[in-house]
Amino acid sequence: MRTAFAIAAKDLRAEARSKEVAPAMLLFALALVFLFTFALPPGSGRAPVPLPRAGSVGAREIASVFLWSSLLFAAIVGFGRSAALEREGSRLDALVLAPVDPALVFAGKAIANFLYLTFIAILVFFFFVVFIGVAPGAILGFLPIALMTNIGLAVIGTLFGTATQYSRAKELLLPLLIFPSVLPPLLAAIRLTSETLVHGDPFTETGWFILIAIYDIVFATIGAVTFEFVIRE
Amino acid sequence: MNIDTGVRNLAVLVAIGMLAGLAAIFFWVPTDDFQGVAQRLFYIHVPSAWVAYLAFAVVLVGSIAHLKTGSRRWDLLADSSAEVGVVFTGITLVTGMMWGRPVWGAYWQWEPRLTSTFVLFVVYLGYVVFRRMGDPGRTGRIAAVIGIVGFVNVPLVHFSVRWWRGLHPSGVVNPASEANLPWQMLVTMLFMLGVFTLLYALFLTLRVRLGRLEDRLLLLEGR
């Protein structure tokens, strides 16, 4: 596992110098948040969002959809860029040649992607505090959701991000493959986040956490086992 | 290049079965009391769905075997089966919508079974696109990974959408579970399931054959 962390640290160091992935994700997410706020009732940026009437969909519930949509789109941009950088600089080839278990290379890449995502998730959450009037305290409920969901997103993103590098239509294929594949954790995250924003506590619905956990375990395993076949010459 | 007799006999069998099945659907089976004529679509819809799932299960098996053995034979089987599967998933979705409009009053409902079928359709469409766009050296292996992830994901999608919708019954009338199902309906359904399975076998055989010929052509062209 130390190897995996070393690879992740290497990626983060490269990112800290070149700043090719995270700023792109952040700008993209910010643009989306800005766009989405137009769909919310006027004034919801200034005043606390009123609680929804019975039967209606409240601004806070929609906010959770927007939050995760922005994150997912930004994630896809990030996965594509981080995998493309690896490929372009032949950095991946060097890793393939290194006497390292491919599962650990996969783990390292996934950890780096996970950290980018989590960093973006926290910043996007504060965009929502500023622009949409989400209560800052809700971060306590949001953080565990984001941490768990981002594992699954990073795993799928690393696997498919790398896989689509070997294709002529990668800009089309990456979202086409990722959107349907991450549906389960995404639904879970949206539901849990809207619980947090409306009731202030996501932990009433543990079933969704279990769903995310199962998803994370299943696909982390599949990713670790199959990554070798994606990168091998 | 003459098609061998086995394949030809299979094709003849499927053609006769399909005509007999259609005759049964249109003239022999009684009309459903509640759903009316639209229910007759089920004899196409259910077998297509069955073939789609069968085809993607074959993709899974082929993908795992290809990763294990590295053999092009399994790779070609998975590729061919995915294409056939996408076609039948499309037929399933379209016939379902044609049935849904008169019976449910809506073409589409975001109900677990529909959603997971739709997700299957999109994932394997991606698979087929990747096959055509990939870097030849590793397309097979990467596609196998996509095939495995896509199939494993289906139960999770089904489950999460069921929860999302709050577990309420979806309003799908399942004819097979009704106790007083007229025997003609059951016989026709089973017959069509058989015919569609043979149709799948035929398409798969032809597609695998075509793939082999393509491989040979590439070899001859020295690419």
Side-chain angles (χ1 to χ4, degrees), chain B residues 94-150:
Chain B
V94 170
T95 51
M97 285 190 253
M98 284 159 66
W99 173 86
R101 181 66 189 170
V103 178
W104 283 346
Y107 288 112
W108 190 263
Q109 306 225 333
W110 289 105
E111 178 265 342
R113 210 177 315 178
L114 271 69
T115 311
S116 34
T117 310
F118 182 71
V119 165
L120 266 183
F121 185 67
V122 176
V123 167
Y124 285 93
L125 209 57
Y127 178 99
V128 170
V129 172
F130 183 80
R131 284 279 185 181
R132 302 292 160 269
M133 300 277 183
D135 160 359
R138 34 183 122 205
T139 301
R141 285 199 310 265
I142 296 179
V145 173
I146 297 173
I148 293 170
V149 170

Coordinates of all heavy atoms in Angstrom, one line a residue, chain B residues 94-150:
Chain B
V94 N -38.4 0.0 -27.1 CA -39.4 0.5 -28.0 C -40.7 -0.2 -27.8 O -41.8 0.5 -27.7 CB -38.9 0.5 -29.4 CG1 -40.0 0.8 -30.4 CG2 -37.7 1.4 -29.6
T95 N -40.7 -1.5 -27.8 CA -42.0 -2.2 -27.6 C -42.6 -1.9 -26.2 O -43.8 -1.7 -26.1 CB -41.9 -3.7 -27.7 OG1 -40.8 -4.2 -26.9 CG2 -41.6 -4.1 -29.2
G96 N -41.8 -1.7 -25.2 CA -42.3 -1.3 -23.9 C -43.0 0.0 -23.9 O -44.0 0.2 -23.3
M97 N -42.4 1.0 -24.7 CA -43.0 2.3 -24.7 C -44.3 2.2 -25.5 O -45.2 2.9 -25.1 CB -42.0 3.3 -25.4 CG -40.8 3.7 -24.5 SD -39.9 5.0 -25.2 CE -38.5 4.2 -25.7
M98 N -44.3 1.4 -26.6 CA -45.5 1.3 -27.3 C -46.7 0.7 -26.5 O -47.8 1.1 -26.6 CB -45.3 0.4 -28.6 CG -44.5 1.1 -29.7 SD -43.7 0.0 -30.8 CE -45.1 -0.8 -31.6
W99 N -46.3 -0.2 -25.6 CA -47.3 -0.8 -24.7 C -47.7 0.2 -23.6 O -48.8 0.3 -23.2 CB -46.7 -2.1 -24.1 CG -47.5 -2.7 -23.0 CD1 -48.6 -3.5 -23.2 CD2 -47.4 -2.5 -21.6 NE1 -49.1 -3.9 -22.0 CE2 -48.4 -3.2 -21.0 CE3 -46.6 -1.7 -20.8 CZ2 -48.7 -3.3 -19.7 CZ3 -46.8 -1.7 -19.5 CH2 -47.8 -2.5 -18.9
G100 N -46.7 0.9 -23.1 CA -46.9 1.8 -22.0 C -47.8 3.0 -22.2 O -48.6 3.4 -21.4
R101 N -47.8 3.5 -23.4 CA -48.6 4.6 -23.8 C -50.1 4.3 -23.6 O -50.8 5.0 -22.9 CB -48.3 5.1 -25.2 CG -49.0 6.3 -25.7 CD -48.7 7.5 -24.9 NE -49.6 8.6 -25.3 CZ -49.7 9.8 -24.7 NH1 -48.9 10.0 -23.7 NH2 -50.5 10.7 -25.1
P102 N -50.6 3.3 -24.2 CA -52.1 3.0 -24.0 C -52.4 2.5 -22.6 O -53.5 2.8 -22.1 CB -52.4 2.0 -25.1 CG -51.1 1.4 -25.5 CD -50.1 2.4 -25.3
V103 N -51.5 1.7 -22.0 CA -51.9 1.0 -20.8 C -51.5 1.9 -19.6 O -52.4 2.0 -18.6 CB -51.2 -0.3 -20.7 CG1 -51.5 -1.0 -19.4 CG2 -51.6 -1.2 -21.8
W104 N -50.4 2.5 -19.5 CA -50.0 3.3 -18.4 C -50.4 4.8 -18.6 O -50.5 5.6 -17.7 CB -48.5 3.4 -18.2 CG -47.9 2.2 -17.5 CD1 -48.6 1.2 -16.9 CD2 -46.5 1.8 -17.5 NE1 -47.7 0.3 -16.4 CE2 -46.4 0.6 -16.7 CE3 -45.4 2.4 -17.9 CZ2 -45.2 0.0 -16.5 CZ3 -44.1 1.8 -17.7 CH2 -44.1 0.6 -17.0
G105 N -50.6 5.1 -19.9 CA -50.8 6.5 -20.2 C -49.5 7.3 -20.4 O -49.6 8.6 -20.5
A106 N -48.4 6.7 -20.3 CA -47.1 7.4 -20.5 C -46.2 6.4 -21.2 O -46.2 5.2 -21.0 CB -46.6 7.8 -19.2
Y107 N -45.3 7.0 -22.1 CA -44.4 6.2 -22.8 C -43.3 5.6 -21.8 O -42.8 4.5 -22.0 CB -43.6 7.0 -23.9 CG -44.5 7.3 -25.1 CD1 -44.9 8.6 -25.3 CD2 -44.9 6.3 -25.9 CE1 -45.6 8.9 -26.4 CE2 -45.7 6.6 -27.0 CZ -46.0 7.9 -27.3 OH -46.8 8.2 -28.4
W108 N -43.0 6.4 -20.8 CA -41.9 6.1 -20.0 C -42.2 6.3 -18.5 O -42.8 7.3 -18.2 CB -40.7 6.9 -20.4 CG -39.4 6.4 -19.8 CD1 -38.8 6.9 -18.7 CD2 -38.6 5.3 -20.2 NE1 -37.7 6.2 -18.3 CE2 -37.6 5.1 -19.2 CE3 -38.7 4.3 -21.2 CZ2 -36.6 4.1 -19.3 CZ3 -37.8 3.4 -21.3 CH2 -36.7 3.3 -20.4
Q109 N -41.7 5.5 -17.7 CA -41.7 5.7 -16.2 C -40.4 5.4 -15.7 O -39.8 4.4 -16.1 CB -42.7 4.8 -15.6 CG -44.1 4.8 -16.1 CD -45.2 4.9 -15.1 OE1 -45.0 4.4 -14.0 NE2 -46.3 5.5 -15.4
W110 N -39.9 6.2 -14.8 CA -38.5 5.9 -14.2 C -38.7 4.9 -13.1 O -38.5 5.2 -11.9 CB -37.9 7.2 -13.7 CG -37.4 8.0 -14.9 CD1 -38.0 9.2 -15.3 CD2 -36.4 7.8 -15.8 NE1 -37.4 9.6 -16.4 CE2 -36.3 8.8 -16.7 CE3 -35.4 6.8 -15.9 CZ2 -35.4 8.8 -17.8 CZ3 -34.5 6.8 -16.9 CH2 -34.5 7.8 -17.8
E111 N -39.0 3.7 -13.6 CA -39.3 2.6 -12.7 C -38.0 1.7 -12.7 O -37.3 1.7 -13.7 CB -40.6 2.0 -13.2 CG -41.1 0.8 -12.6 CD -40.6 -0.5 -13.3 OE1 -40.2 -0.4 -14.4 OE2 -40.7 -1.5 -12.6
P112 N -37.8 0.9 -11.6 CA -36.5 0.2 -11.6 C -36.1 -0.6 -12.8 O -35.0 -0.6 -13.3 CB -36.6 -0.7 -10.3 CG -37.6 0.0 -9.5 CD -38.5 0.7 -10.4
R113 N -37.1 -1.4 -13.3 CA -36.8 -2.3 -14.4 C -36.5 -1.5 -15.6 O -35.6 -1.9 -16.4 CB -37.9 -3.3 -14.6 CG -37.3 -4.6 -15.1 CD -38.4 -5.7 -15.3 NE -39.3 -5.8 -14.2 CZ -40.3 -6.7 -14.1 NH1 -40.5 -7.4 -15.1 NH2 -41.1 -6.7 -13.1
L114 N -37.3 -0.5 -15.9 CA -37.1 0.3 -17.1 C -35.7 1.0 -17.0 O -35.0 1.1 -17.9 CB -38.2 1.4 -17.2 CG -39.4 1.0 -18.0 CD1 -40.2 -0.1 -17.2 CD2 -40.3 2.2 -18.3
T115 N -35.4 1.6 -15.8 CA -34.2 2.3 -15.6 C -33.0 1.4 -15.8 O -32.0 1.8 -16.5 CB -34.1 3.0 -14.3 OG1 -35.4 3.7 -14.1 CG2 -33.0 4.0 -14.2
S116 N -33.0 0.2 -15.2 CA -31.9 -0.6 -15.4 C -31.7 -1.1 -16.8 O -30.6 -1.3 -17.3 CB -31.8 -1.8 -14.4 OG -33.1 -2.3 -14.1
T117 N -32.8 -1.3 -17.5 CA -32.7 -1.7 -18.9 C -32.1 -0.6 -19.7 O -31.3 -0.8 -20.6 CB -34.1 -2.1 -19.5 OG1 -34.7 -3.0 -18.6 CG2 -34.0 -2.7 -20.9
F118 N -32.6 0.7 -19.4 CA -32.0 1.8 -20.1 C -30.5 2.0 -19.8 O -29.7 2.3 -20.8 CB -32.8 3.1 -19.7 CG -32.3 4.3 -20.4 CD1 -32.6 4.5 -21.7 CD2 -31.6 5.3 -19.7 CE1 -32.2 5.7 -22.3 CE2 -31.2 6.4 -20.3 CZ -31.5 6.6 -21.7
V119 N -30.1 1.8 -18.6 CA -28.7 1.9 -18.2 C -27.9 0.8 -19.0 O -26.8 1.1 -19.6 CB -28.5 1.7 -16.7 CG1 -27.1 1.5 -16.4 CG2 -29.0 3.0 -16.0
L120 N -28.5 -0.4 -19.1 CA -27.8 -1.5 -19.9 C -27.6 -1.0 -21.3 O -26.5 -1.2 -21.9 CB -28.7 -2.7 -19.9 CG -28.5 -3.8 -18.9 CD1 -29.4 -4.9 -19.2 CD2 -27.0 -4.3 -19.0
F121 N -28.7 -0.4 -21.9 CA -28.6 0.0 -23.2 C -27.5 1.0 -23.5 O -26.7 0.9 -24.4 CB -30.0 0.6 -23.6 CG -30.1 1.1 -25.0 CD1 -30.1 0.1 -26.0 CD2 -30.2 2.4 -25.4 CE1 -30.2 0.5 -27.4 CE2 -30.4 2.8 -26.7 CZ -30.4 1.8 -27.7
V122 N -27.4 2.0 -22.6 CA -26.4 3.1 -22.7 C -25.0 2.5 -22.5 O -24.1 2.8 -23.3 CB -26.6 4.2 -21.7 CG1 -25.5 5.3 -21.8 CG2 -28.0 4.9 -22.0
V123 N -24.8 1.7 -21.5 CA -23.5 1.1 -21.2 C -23.0 0.3 -22.4 O -21.8 0.4 -22.8 CB -23.5 0.3 -19.9 CG1 -22.2 -0.5 -19.8 CG2 -23.7 1.1 -18.7
Y124 N -23.8 -0.6 -22.9 CA -23.4 -1.5 -24.0 C -23.3 -0.7 -25.3 O -22.5 -1.1 -26.2 CB -24.2 -2.7 -24.1 CG -23.8 -3.7 -23.0 CD1 -24.5 -3.6 -21.8 CD2 -22.7 -4.5 -23.0 CE1 -24.2 -4.4 -20.7 CE2 -22.3 -5.3 -22.0 CZ -23.1 -5.3 -20.8 OH -22.7 -6.1 -19.8
L125 N -24.0 0.3 -25.5 CA -23.8 1.2 -26.6 C -22.4 1.8 -26.5 O -21.7 1.8 -27.5 CB -24.9 2.3 -26.6 CG -25.3 2.9 -27.9 CD1 -25.9 1.8 -28.8 CD2 -26.4 4.0 -27.7
G126 N -22.1 2.3 -25.3 CA -20.7 2.7 -25.1 C -19.7 1.7 -25.5 O -18.6 1.9 -26.1
Y127 N -20.0 0.5 -25.0 CA -19.1 -0.7 -25.3 C -18.9 -0.9 -26.8 O -17.8 -1.0 -27.3 CB -19.8 -1.9 -24.7 CG -19.1 -3.2 -25.0 CD1 -18.2 -3.8 -24.0 CD2 -19.2 -4.0 -26.1 CE1 -17.6 -5.0 -24.2 CE2 -18.6 -5.2 -26.3 CZ -17.8 -5.7 -25.3 OH -17.2 -6.9 -25.5
V128 N -20.0 -0.8 -27.6 CA -20.0 -1.0 -29.0 C -19.2 0.1 -29.7 O -18.4 -0.1 -30.6 CB -21.4 -1.2 -29.6 CG1 -21.3 -1.1 -31.1 CG2 -22.0 -2.5 -29.1
V129 N -19.5 1.4 -29.2 CA -18.7 2.5 -29.8 C -17.3 2.4 -29.5 O -16.4 2.6 -30.4 CB -19.3 3.9 -29.2 CG1 -18.4 5.0 -29.6 CG2 -20.7 4.1 -29.6
F130 N -16.9 2.0 -28.3 CA -15.5 1.8 -27.9 C -14.8 0.8 -28.9 O -13.7 1.0 -29.3 CB -15.4 1.4 -26.5 CG -13.9 1.3 -26.1 CD1 -13.2 2.4 -25.7 CD2 -13.3 0.1 -26.1 CE1 -11.9 2.3 -25.3 CE2 -11.9 0.0 -25.7 CZ -11.3 1.1 -25.4
R131 N -15.6 -0.3 -29.1 CA -15.0 -1.3 -30.0 C -14.6 -0.7 -31.4 O -13.7 -1.2 -32.0 CB -16.1 -2.4 -30.3 CG -16.3 -3.3 -29.2 CD -15.3 -4.3 -29.2 NE -15.4 -5.3 -28.2 CZ -14.6 -6.4 -28.1 NH1 -13.6 -6.5 -28.9 NH2 -14.8 -7.3 -27.2
R132 N -15.4 0.2 -31.9 CA -15.2 0.8 -33.2 C -14.1 1.9 -33.2 O -13.5 2.2 -34.2 CB -16.5 1.4 -33.8 CG -17.6 0.4 -33.9 CD -17.3 -0.7 -35.0 NE -18.2 -1.8 -34.7 CZ -17.9 -2.8 -34.0 NH1 -16.7 -2.9 -33.4 NH2 -18.7 -3.8 -33.7
M133 N -13.9 2.5 -32.0 CA -13.0 3.6 -31.9 C -11.7 3.3 -31.2 O -10.9 4.2 -31.1 CB -13.7 4.7 -31.1 CG -15.0 5.2 -31.7 SD -14.7 6.4 -33.0 CE -16.3 6.8 -33.5
G134 N -11.5 2.1 -30.8 CA -10.4 1.8 -29.9 C -9.1 1.6 -30.6 O -9.1 1.4 -31.9
D135 N -8.0 1.6 -29.9 CA -6.7 1.3 -30.4 C -6.6 -0.2 -30.5 O -6.8 -0.9 -29.5 CB -5.8 1.9 -29.3 CG -4.4 1.4 -29.3 OD1 -4.1 0.5 -30.1 OD2 -3.6 1.9 -28.5
P136 N -6.4 -0.7 -31.7 CA -6.5 -2.1 -32.0 C -5.8 -3.1 -31.0 O -6.3 -4.1 -30.7 CB -6.0 -2.3 -33.4 CG -5.8 -1.0 -34.0 CD -5.9 0.0 -32.9
G137 N -4.6 -2.6 -30.5 CA -3.8 -3.5 -29.7 C -4.5 -3.9 -28.4 O -4.3 -5.0 -27.9
R138 N -5.3 -3.0 -27.8 CA -5.9 -3.3 -26.5 C -7.4 -3.2 -26.4 O -7.9 -3.4 -25.4 CB -5.2 -2.5 -25.4 CG -4.8 -1.1 -25.8 CD -4.2 -0.5 -24.7 NE -2.8 0.0 -25.0 CZ -1.9 0.2 -24.1 NH1 -2.1 -0.1 -22.9 NH2 -0.7 0.6 -24.4
T139 N -8.0 -2.9 -27.6 CA -9.5 -2.8 -27.5 C -10.2 -4.0 -26.8 O -11.1 -3.8 -26.0 CB -10.0 -2.6 -28.9 OG1 -9.4 -1.5 -29.5 CG2 -11.5 -2.4 -28.9
G140 N -9.8 -5.2 -27.2 CA -10.5 -6.4 -26.7 C -10.4 -6.4 -25.2 O -11.4 -6.6 -24.5
R141 N -9.2 -6.2 -24.6 CA -9.1 -6.3 -23.1 C -9.9 -5.1 -22.4 O -10.5 -5.4 -21.4 CB -7.6 -6.2 -22.8 CG -6.9 -7.5 -23.1 CD -5.6 -7.5 -22.3 NE -4.8 -6.3 -22.4 CZ -3.8 -6.2 -23.3 NH1 -3.5 -7.2 -24.1 NH2 -3.2 -5.1 -23.4
I142 N -9.7 -3.9 -23.0 CA -10.4 -2.8 -22.3 C -11.9 -3.0 -22.4 O -12.7 -2.8 -21.5 CB -10.0 -1.5 -22.9 CG1 -8.5 -1.3 -22.6 CG2 -10.8 -0.3 -22.3 CD1 -7.9 0.0 -23.2
A143 N -12.4 -3.4 -23.6 CA -13.8 -3.6 -23.8 C -14.3 -4.7 -22.8 O -15.4 -4.6 -22.2 CB -14.1 -4.1 -25.2
A144 N -13.5 -5.7 -22.6 CA -13.9 -6.7 -21.6 C -14.1 -6.1 -20.2 O -15.0 -6.5 -19.5 CB -12.8 -7.8 -21.5
V145 N -13.2 -5.2 -19.8 CA -13.4 -4.5 -18.5 C -14.7 -3.8 -18.5 O -15.4 -3.9 -17.5 CB -12.2 -3.6 -18.3 CG1 -12.4 -2.8 -17.0 CG2 -10.9 -4.4 -18.1
I146 N -15.0 -3.1 -19.6 CA -16.2 -2.3 -19.6 C -17.4 -3.3 -19.5 O -18.4 -3.0 -18.8 CB -16.3 -1.5 -20.9 CG1 -15.2 -0.5 -21.0 CG2 -17.7 -0.8 -21.1 CD1 -15.1 0.3 -22.3
G147 N -17.3 -4.4 -20.3 CA -18.4 -5.4 -20.2 C -18.6 -5.9 -18.8 O -19.8 -6.1 -18.4
I148 N -17.6 -6.2 -18.1 CA -17.7 -6.7 -16.7 C -18.3 -5.6 -15.8 O -19.3 -5.9 -15.1 CB -16.3 -7.1 -16.2 CG1 -15.8 -8.4 -17.0 CG2 -16.4 -7.5 -14.7 CD1 -14.4 -8.8 -16.7
V149 N -17.8 -4.4 -15.8 CA -18.3 -3.4 -15.0 C -19.8 -3.1 -15.3 O -20.6 -3.0 -14.4 CB -17.5 -2.0 -15.2 CG1 -18.2 -0.9 -14.5 CG2 -16.1 -2.2 -14.6
G150 N -20.1 -3.1 -16.6 CA -21.5 -2.8 -17.0 C -22.5 -3.8 -16.4 O -23.6 -3.5 -15.9

